[in-house]
Amino acid sequence: MTASLTDLGHEAWIVDPAEASLVESLGERRPELCWLALHGKEGEDGTVQRLLDLLGLRYTGTAPFGCEIAFDKVLAKDVLAGAAVRTPPWVVVEGWALRDLGAGAALGEVVDRIGLPCVVKPSRSGSALGVGFVDRASDLPQAVMAALSYSGAAVVEAKVEGREVAAALVGEDLEPLPLVEIVPKGGAYDYAARYTAGATEYFCPARLEAEPTAAVTQLARQAAQALGLRDLTRVDLIVDDQDRAWVLEVNVSPGMTETSLVPMAAQARGMMLTGLCDVILRSALARA
Amino acid sequence: MAEFSIDRFVDRYAERTAGMSASEVRALFAVASRPDVVSLAGGMPFVDALPAQALLDVSTEVITRGRSQALQYGGGQGQLALRERLTMLMAEEGVVADPDDVVVTTGAQQALDLLGKIFIDPGDTIAVEAPSYVGALTAFAAYQPRFLTLETDNDGMIVEQLEQAIVRGERPTFVYTVPNFGNPAGVTMARARREHLVSLCREAGIPIVEDNPYGLLRFEGEPLPCLRSLDPHNVIYLGTVSKTFSPGVRVGWALADPSVIQRIVLAKEAADLCGSNLTMSLTERWFSDEARWRGALADLVRTYRGRRDVMLQAIEEHFPDTATWTQPAGGFYVWVSLPEWFDTTAMLAAAVERRVAYVPGSAFYPDGRGRDRMRLAFCYPTEDRILDGVARLGALLEDEDQLYRSLRPS
């Protein structure tokens, strides 16, 4: 990333909040723009973005409120459904409701409403951490506990079978890049499948006909617009056997290394990492 | 349409790398290394306790007088002077050894890998304790064996299970065991079981690999005979100075029959030509002064004993009644068993959020079990930090218990 920015003629340097105080480092050199490449809670939930707003520094990506909603699946699902974006049916299980309000007694309702198999996800977590697949009702409590280990609430979502695709949207107009189809060799696109090289196969463009491709792309843009995302985002979707697309989640800070999905999609369009960076950079700088 | 791969060499890798995958636990440990997290996870020896001046003296001596050897290549078997010192260390535990039958390795970890290399063909059966040292499991796994797991209790490996397996027709290529204060369980194999294991394996013609990193870290009670001293011909013995001196010097060793040693030396020379002469020299010099190393080791044992006591007391005070744990008489670890519905892998995220870390139990089983277990290390954190960490963990266990009961309201 730094190399690409340098290639574009910019002076770029790395500030790692794990190694040095962000406020001090940024205060010393006052960059014209901060390229946000932080992943995980503080990087994606609006925390860093609010801090940069306070410091009066410009940055790439979505504004704090949009980040906060997009990163929290409980909020994001509501917003998406409100904007008529198709997303799998879901129920929220709150940790406190279980502890203090006896919500555990209603767990049977969850299965009745959502059906099996289902997917249990922490409301606020990335990289598929804490995600569990449930085939039997008796396994639901443990999957909920695992998700609650990562976050205060768990989202229990119907499992839609189909092709997993990622839609990258970049630039001022959230221009779609070719879809990436994800085929995990072990069946589930879990943490190991994401981060072990070779554990997943990717097809780009996705092996879809023109019509579903257009529908997926349209739905992804609709999702990104509903959540107020900017500059760069990746929407993860499932295309079922009737070619209907469902939004699973959105990422405000998708991976941008040479081997990540968004650069892969750009490459399929003939756009190298440097060109991709330029589009994102211009989009961020276009905001006054 | 193009098929993309994150790794363009993906079709080229050897089959043995198939089991090597990224893990959630590693991702969480990246966070657990922050200073505000009390880590009861890593088994790091408390090297800060070693006397700085003495270390400086030894280093100076190696560089001023021994540098022509220390900075040079050496033989694959390792320095003879060091092997003599290691023989002396083994004698501390009653193991009689000839320096010619010793090969110095890059930590005992390399000896595990080399044993895998010279003994294991794909599909061979290796008998291991359950739970077992994760580093041995991963070292052996690269050679694609099938693991035969033998349960343990407070007296170590349940040898009867091996006997039954042999009756069933199993013939493991070797049996791997950490009989003293094992990692992760902290338990020690009882004398009768040692004798049983040794005679059983001798009769069946199955070699034993005895890994003994913690034997000299005994806090109380009488030492038990090493398996190697019960049967010098059928036991391959592994030692290390990582716990008695420093893991940074990467000095371990294997003691075995000359024929085995010859193969290990050849395999080692193929792997790395020779160990580091510099750190071998440092280690040799360190153990040349008996008062010095004995004093430093006694200090370490005293420190670890105090930390073990604090940890056990804190667990007693803070952990729920449903938990049980081992009472190690030495070594680094306490092994905690929780009700079967616990998932310590998932719970690690919540633990790190509460600023405490441990190692989830499933790491120590080759078959995915152990999700209701956890390993707590008392070797590195100070007593105050251990108290804090165990209290935080206890509060988390109580909360998890409450959450579980709320999910099973019947």
Side-chain angles (χ1 to χ4, degrees), chain B residues 47-57 286 292 295-296 299:
Chain B
V47 292
D48 294 356
L50 293 171
Q53 188 56 49
L55 289 168
L56 200 57
D57 292 346
W286 176 261
R292 180 171 59 206
D299 284 346

Side-chain angles (χ1 to χ4, degrees), chain B residues 328-344:
Chain B
F332 282 1
Y333 306 109
V334 175
W335 181 242
V336 180
S337 300
L338 299 165
E340 50 87 25
W341 52 263
F342 263 95
D343 179 349
T344 55

Side-chain angles (χ1 to χ4, degrees), chain B residues 348-368:
Chain B
L348 183 59
V352 170
E353 191 70 33
R354 294 185 189 216
R355 305 290 178 257
V356 58
Y358 57 84
V359 181
S362 56
F364 304 99
Y365 291 83
D367 50 13

